[in-house]
Structure formats: C-alpha cells, structure tokens
C-alpha cells in the first residue's frame, strides 16, 4: 500500500526565514550583555536580578529558536495563501509589538532598558515559537481571515491599543513639561514628587525642594547634601525639620557648614541614587548624607517582575488620584483626615503641643497602614522582602561607588519606624491586626543595614537608640501619623548632628581647623 502524498503548496521563502534569523542575532548579542550585567549584579549584591537574568535567557535563546523555526518552515508545505502573506498576520504582529512597547516604556519606573528587552525578547520568542508550528498557524489564519467579524476584532483591538499609546504618551508629556493638575500622575522619574506648592506656608525653592535656594558656590563653608524621603522634607514647618536642626547644630559645633535638603516625598534608595547623580553632585558637596526610613524605603524601592505595572501609567493615575481625592474628601467630611501641611502656623508652642494637633487620619486606618511596615522585621521574610533588600543594597552600593569616584564620604542615616520605637503603639497594631509578636524581630532591619555598611566601609548613623532613649516615642510622631513631630525632628536632628560632627572632624580636619 502506498503512502498518501503530503499536500503540496508554496514553502516560505528563504528571505522570510533569513529575516527571522537576522533579527535574532542582535538579540542574542544583547542577551549576552544582560548575562554579563546579571553576573556583575551577582558579584555586587549576591543576586543576578531576575529581570536581567530573564532578559539574558530570552535573548540568547532566540537564536536556536529562530534556527528551529526556519527548519520547520522550510520542511512544511502550506495549502492556500501562506499566513505570512496575509494582512491579518502583520496586524497581530503589530498588535503584540505595540503591547510590548506600551508595557515596557510607559509601564516601568526603573531599568527601562532591561524592561524593554524583556518585553521585546518575549514578543520575539513567542513569535518564533509559533513559527515552529506553521501548519497550525496556517489553519488558524485561514479560519480567521475567512470570517469578516473576526477580522473586525483584530482591527478594533489594534486601533484601541494605538489610541491608548497616543493618550498615555500625551499625558506623560503633560506630566513632564507642564504644571499638570495630577502631580503624582505617572511618577516615572525620581523627581516627579518634588514640591509644586507651599507647605506650612513656605514655598519650596526653584528646584522644588523644601529649602532655601541652592548655590553652586559654597564659599568657605563645608557643604553637606542630605538625600531622603518625606522624613527629610519634613512634616513640620521648615525650621523645625531634621535638616534645619542638623545644620544649626553643626554650625554651632564646627563653624561654617551648609546642609542642603534634597528630600523628595515618597522616594526610596533607588530614586536617591538618581537624585545624587543628576542634581546633588551639581552643587559640589563635600559629603553626602542618605536617610533610609525603615517604614517603607526598603519594600517600596523596587519593581517586582510583572508584565504590567499599572501604578506608573498616567491613565491609571488619573483614576487613582480622583478616587483618592474622593476618599479623602469623605474622610474630611467625617473628620477622619487632616492635611497638616496646609496649616500656615509657625509658632513653636503650636507644633510642640503634639497631643493637641489635629489627627491626620483615623486611628484604625493608621494602625492598618503601619502593620504593613512590619514586613521587613519578619523573622521568616517573604521573597518580596528578600528581593527588596537586594535592590536596596544594589542602589546603596552604586551610591557609594559614585561618591568614591569623587572622593566624597557617604554617611547613611537609619530612620526607625514608629512600630520599632513605641511599644504601646506596637501593642495596638499587634492586637488590632491579629499578629504574632514573636514572628517579628523589630531591630532586624537595623542590624542588616549596619552589617552592610561595615562590609562596604560606609559610616552608619542609627537614630533608633535616640528614639528608644526617649521612652515611648509616640509623642515623637504626629497624631496618627508615622512622620516625626516637631519634638521628634529636634531629637533626630540633634542626634544626627552629634554623630556627623565627629565624622566631619575626622574626614575634614584641615577644613575644620582640627
């Protein structure tokens, strides 16, 4: 009995197969580059970085996948018009490519090169994997193209996706270059949360920092720059903030010292690195102080591996901002929310009477919010926390390297969270949230940072002891808020100045006349 002959038909041309292979060659080269980055990351922080490792595997793997697809295409005859000659095939390619572009460019806050490579390599790998099954593709596109209703679907999807790219791109441009009414929208740079309006009745400087105007000429003064988050910005009038207190104490102890405040709300060590590189270095500092707040600087300072990061899309931020403002207005109407930054009061007596200040939020909301800050204190940390520490150490290592290149000392300041320094509040959190207190080691984050600093030769200033020595430090924080009150800022500023004065005397004996 003779075998039935395979159906004859046009084979994919050599040009089509060669194009698939040629496109895989630079991807393989880039994959090798990402492999080298992953190796360097492994040597630096003990982790290759999941995103870099995936980009390396996908990039290098594209070459054998393209060879296999070419071989399968050459050996498979197709009946009818080949799928690769049909308009629907190219529409779907454009649809997937646009989705990858939208996800990697607009949906990323950090590491855009790696994110772009991940999405593009993933798209290319999926395409070549499908090309390994040409008969299946041929049947699918023959079926699809034979039904006008289905053809309208892919055209509609492509139009919607391209429209979303245009809308998102326009909103991003507005956010970057105009005074857009949604200041946190599409927070894609470390500078997106710079101040745009006065707080506590005082306008920020022209750069958006809660400080006087910066000058590139320091004169005879020793200049120290402070980089941190809202704890450095200050949740009190400027003269009562930690940076102002530290500068006054340093001047009293050492003479002419300037301390510039590069604090930005909601930033973390990954953003601190960019603030240092892009702005702080421009003002010729003699030393750099970096504040790490243990409430959320660690866990919110990196991106997890995910196809989409909806938080960084402007369209999503409009929705989120409007929803947040509606919720805040409802809380204001119920007397559960108050924005202290809008109080234009400068009297010391007012801000030091902490117990009499308005509560910034309800007690239940504050307790629930702070319960999440215990994650980094867990004796058995989640994989998310482990990765977060790796990203934090990587950013701090890069900051140390950048400072060393310029011959600048880097001082790291540990800012404890209220759950670590207020036993009475911790008891409230544990009871209200049903937590097991034995599952947490409250000072574990401090020890990890101190050990890291010892290994890298970074001077570490831990403010935890100062707050613990103050007794139950609830009054060191604003009512129902984790930010320091005026007494808390004074305590932190004086403790920081005391430690800094010794370090500056050691590092600048001639400048300070020692």
């Amino acid at each position: 009995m003779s075998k039935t002959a395979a159906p004859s038909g046009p084979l994919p041309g050599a040009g089509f197969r060669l194009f698939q292979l040629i496109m895989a060659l630079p991807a393989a080269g880039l994959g090798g580059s990402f492999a080298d980055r992953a190796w360097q990351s492994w040597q630096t922080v003990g982790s290759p970085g999941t995103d870099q490792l995936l980009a390396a595997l996908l990039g290098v793997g594209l070459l054998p996948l393209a060879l296999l697809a070419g071989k399968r295409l050459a050996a498979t005859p197709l009946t009818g018009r080949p799928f690769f000659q049909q308009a629907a095939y190219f529409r779907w390619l454009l649809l997937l490519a646009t989705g990858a572009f939208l996800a990697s460019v607009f949906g990323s806050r950090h590491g855009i090169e790696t994110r772009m490579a991940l999405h593009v390599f993933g798209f290319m790998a999926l395409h070549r994997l499908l090309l390994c099954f040409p008969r299946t593709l041929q049947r699918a596109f023959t079926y699809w193209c034979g039904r006008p209703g289905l053809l309208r679907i892919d055209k509609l999807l492509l139009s919607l996706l391209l429209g979303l790219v245009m809308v998102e791109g326009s909103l991003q441009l507005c956010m970057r270059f105009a005074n857009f009414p949604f200041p946190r929208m599409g927070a894609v740079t470390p500078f997106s949360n710079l101040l745009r309006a006065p707080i506590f009745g005082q306008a920020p400087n022209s750069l958006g920092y809660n400080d006087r105007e910066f000058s590139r000429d320091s004169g005879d003064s020793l200049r120290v720059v402070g980089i941190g988050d809202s704890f450095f910005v200050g949740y009190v009038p400027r003269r009562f903030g930690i940076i102002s207190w530290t500068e006054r104490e340093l001047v009293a102890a050492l003479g002419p010292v300037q301390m510039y405040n590069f604090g930005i709300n909601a930033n973390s060590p990954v953003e601190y690195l960019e603030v240092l590189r892009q702005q702080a270095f421009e003002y010729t500092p003699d030393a750099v102080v970096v504040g790490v707040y243990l409430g959320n600087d660690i866990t919110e300072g990196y991106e997890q591996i995910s196809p989409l990061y909806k938080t960084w899309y402007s369209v999503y931020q409009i929705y989120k901002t409007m929803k947040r403002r509606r919720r805040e207005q409802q809380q204001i109407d119920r007397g559960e929310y108050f924005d202290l930054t809008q109080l234009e009061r400068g009297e010391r007596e007012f801000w030091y009477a902490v117990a009499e200040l308005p509560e910034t939020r309800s007690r239940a909301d504050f307790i629930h919010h702070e319960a999440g800050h215990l994650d980094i204190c867990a004796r058995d940390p989640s994989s998310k926390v482990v990765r977060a520490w790796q990203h934090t150490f990587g950013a701090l290592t890069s900051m140390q390297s950048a400072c060393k290149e310029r011959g600048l000392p880097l001082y790291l300041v540990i800012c404890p969270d209220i759950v670590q320094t207020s036993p009475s509040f911790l008891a409230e959190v544990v009871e209200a949230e049903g937590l097991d207190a034995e599952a947490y080691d409250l000072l574990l984050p401090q020890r990890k940072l101190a050990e890291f600093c010892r290994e890298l030769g970074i001077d570490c200033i831990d403010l935890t002891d100062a707050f613990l020595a103050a007794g139950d430090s609830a009054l060191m924080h604003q009512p129902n808020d984790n930010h320091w009150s005026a007494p808390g800022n004074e305590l932190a500023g004086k403790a920081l100045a005391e430690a800094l004065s010794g370090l500056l005397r050691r590092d600048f004996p001639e400048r300070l006349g020692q």
Side-chain angles (χ1 to χ4, degrees):
M1 181 181 295
S2 61
K3 294 183 179 180
T4 302
S8 61
L11 295 176
F16 180 77
R17 301 196 303 273
L18 182 62
F19 178 75
Q20 304 304 320
L21 180 61
I22 290 175
M23 291 297 292
L25 288 174
L30 288 173
S33 174
F34 282 111
D36 181 65
R37 293 188 190 182
W39 173 248
Q40 296 296 330
S41 178
W42 177 272
Q43 291 183 313
T44 303
V45 299
S47 170
T50 310
D51 49 354
Q52 295 183 142
L53 189 58
L54 283 176
L57 292 174
L58 284 173
V60 174
L62 274 172
L63 189 56
L65 196 57
L67 290 171
L68 176 61
K71 183 178 179 182
R72 294 294 301 272
L73 283 166
T76 306
L78 303 174
T79 57
R81 186 182 181 189
F83 65 87
F84 56 86
Q85 294 180 3
Q86 300 187 40
Y89 168 73
F90 291 100
R91 279 199 301 272
W92 275 103
L93 283 183
L94 183 58
L95 187 67
L96 292 174
T98 305
F101 173 80
L102 186 65
S104 58
V105 175
F106 292 140
S108 179
R109 190 178 188 182
H110 314 297
I112 191 170
E113 293 179 359
T114 307
R115 294 275 293 145
M116 174 67 86
L118 266 176
H119 286 82
V120 172
F121 291 172
F123 159 66
M124 293 174 67
L126 176 62
H127 179 217
R128 280 150 185 79
L129 182 63
L130 291 175
L131 289 178
C132 292
F133 305 93
R135 278 206 185 96
T136 302
L137 279 179
Q138 182 69 14
R139 286 195 296 267
F141 277 98
T142 299
Y143 178 84
W144 190 274
C145 295
R147 286 158 177 78
L150 293 179
L151 287 175
R152 284 194 290 269
I153 289 177
D154 65 60
K155 292 177 182 178
L156 177 62
L157 288 175
L158 182 59
S159 299
L160 288 175
L161 199 56
L162 290 174
L164 183 58
V165 169
M166 294 179 64
V167 170
E168 179 67 26
S170 300
L171 290 174
Q172 292 280 352
L173 289 173
C174 290
M175 184 273 295
R176 287 173 182 252
F177 300 112
N179 188 19
F180 212 70
F182 295 92
R184 284 183 55 82
M185 186 192 70
V188 294
T189 77
F191 308 99
S192 297
N193 292 325
L194 284 169
L195 299 176
R196 292 172 170 81
I199 58 173
F200 302 104
Q202 287 186 290
N205 64 19
S206 57
L207 292 177
Y209 294 103
N210 188 28
D211 205 342
R212 60 193 179 277
E213 290 296 333
F214 296 155
S215 171
R216 284 179 168 78
D217 181 16
S218 62
D220 296 329
S221 297
L222 188 72
R223 176 171 293 169
V224 181
V225 297
I227 302 175
D229 62 359
S230 53
F231 280 76
F232 273 21
V233 175
Y235 207 49
V236 290
R238 186 181 300 165
R239 66 190 182 100
F240 300 132
I242 179 176
I243 299 298
S244 296
W245 270 109
T246 302
E247 183 180 61
R248 288 194 295 268
E249 294 291 312
L250 288 176
V251 169
L254 304 178
V257 176
Q258 296 176 343
M259 191 159 187
Y260 280 2
N261 188 353
F262 282 87
I264 300 178
N265 289 325
N267 270 10
S268 58
V270 177
E271 285 91 6
Y272 300 163
L273 174 61
E274 296 307 313
V275 172
L276 177 67
R277 287 172 170 168
Q278 297 184 39
Q279 287 194 345
F281 280 151
E282 294 295 319
Y283 291 87
T284 59
D286 297 297
V288 176
V289 172
V290 175
V292 177
Y293 166 55
L294 295 180
N296 57 14
D297 270 13
I298 308 300
T299 53
E300 295 183 7
Y302 79 108
E303 292 180 338
Q304 301 180 64
I305 298 302
S306 174
L308 293 174
Y309 296 132
K310 63 181 181 181
T311 306
W312 310 126
Y313 286 92
S314 301
V315 173
Y316 176 77
Q317 281 296 332
I318 289 178
Y319 161 76
K320 183 180 178 181
T321 302
M322 294 177 68
K323 184 178 179 181
R324 174 175 56 83
R325 289 180 177 177
R326 181 173 179 270
R327 184 180 68 251
E328 289 176 355
Q329 186 58 52
Q330 291 174 339
Q331 291 175 327
I332 291 173
D333 294 340
R334 296 194 301 262
E336 297 177 355
Y337 176 83
F338 190 85
D339 187 358
L340 286 179
T341 64
Q342 300 307 304
L343 288 176
E344 298 184 11
R345 300 284 297 271
E347 314 94 280
R348 175 186 174 89
E349 295 77 12
F350 178 82
W351 291 103
Y352 274 74
V354 179
E356 300 176 13
L357 292 174
E359 295 180 346
T360 59
R361 66 178 81 180
S362 69
R363 192 67 172 177
D365 185 32
F366 178 46
I367 288 174
H368 181 71
H369 175 265
E370 281 297 314
H373 289 181
L374 283 169
D375 289 348
I376 62 169
C377 300
R379 298 181 189 275
D380 183 19
S382 65
S383 58
K384 171 187 175 182
V385 171
V386 173
R387 290 194 299 270
W389 276 111
Q390 292 169 348
H391 280 255
T392 298
F393 290 153
L396 294 175
T397 300
S398 297
M399 294 186 76
Q400 169 74 329
S401 299
C403 288
K404 274 188 174 181
E405 290 176 1
R406 293 163 174 79
L408 307 178
L410 174 66
Y411 310 127
L412 187 140
V413 181
I414 297 177
C415 304
D417 188 63
I418 185 173
V419 292
Q420 298 175 303
T421 59
S422 175
S424 63
F425 179 69
L426 175 63
E428 279 190 74
V429 173
V430 169
E431 181 179 359
E433 298 293 319
L435 303 177
D436 178 10
E438 296 301 318
Y440 302 97
D441 181 350
L442 295 181
L443 300 184
L444 176 62
Q446 280 85 338
R447 295 197 300 274
K448 290 179 72 73
L449 275 175
E451 181 182 357
F452 168 80
C453 288
R454 281 195 298 271
E455 292 177 356
L456 261 70
I458 300 175
D459 290 297
C460 181
I461 303 171
D462 190 352
L463 302 180
T464 306
D465 289 342
F467 280 88
L468 290 174
D472 195 329
S473 66
L475 291 179
M476 296 294 109
H477 300 262
Q478 301 289 29
N480 289 351
D481 199 289
N482 54 337
H483 292 94
W484 294 324
S485 61
N489 274 277
E490 180 178 355
L491 176 69
K494 288 183 175 180
L496 176 56
E498 181 180 359
L500 265 183
S501 60
L503 294 173
L504 292 174
R505 285 192 181 100
R506 179 200 68 191
D507 294 335
F508 302 95
E510 296 181 0
R511 293 279 302 275
L512 297 174
Q514 302 298 316

